[in-house]
Amino acid sequence: QLQLVESGGGLVQPGGSLRLSCVVSGGTLDHYGIVWFRHTPGKEREGVSCISGSGTTTDYTESVKGRFAIYRDFAKDTVYLQMNKLKIEDSGFYSCAANENSFSYCLINKYDIPSRGKGTLVTVVS
């Protein structure tokens, strides 16, 4: 059974950077697209970025384009979200999830398999 666990959050100042990790195990990994979600109190869950199983297709929500980058390290079974030029509004709990049967595409606001972790907290404060 596919399992996902995220890590890498922290406290940074505006303009800083963080790299989140989503370790994936228990399945044929290139069958699964991976999505990063952001959860902020008082707001709906937002899909931030996704990457296809092949790693060749990515998508980003408009507010992070040009600042965030998602990529896969197949040797480490890990999907990373590199977050640069962080803004206060980027703060929230970040979690990863999987789209099934998504070798060539990903869906940024949908998931089939959630992570088993509790998310990782990103706090951007001046």
Side-chain angles (χ1 to χ4, degrees), residues 77-94:
D77 296 336
T78 301
V79 172
Y80 297 99
L81 184 66
Q82 178 67 45
M83 306 188 297
N84 300 323
K85 300 180 181 178
L86 281 161
K87 302 177 180 180
I88 291 174
E89 53 264 40
D90 293 321
S91 298
F93 276 96
Y94 284 70

Side-chain angles (χ1 to χ4, degrees), residues 1-6 21-29 32-34 72 76-79 96-98 100 112-117:
Q1 187 174 3
L2 197 74
Q3 298 185 35
L4 307 92
V5 179
E6 60 277 292
S21 301
C22 176
V23 179
V24 186
S25 62
T28 305
L29 301 183
Y32 298 92
I34 301 299
R72 303 184 77 126
K76 296 183 178 180
D77 296 336
T78 301
V79 172
C96 58
E100 292 183 305
D112 299 301
I113 303 171
S115 80
R116 296 198 172 191

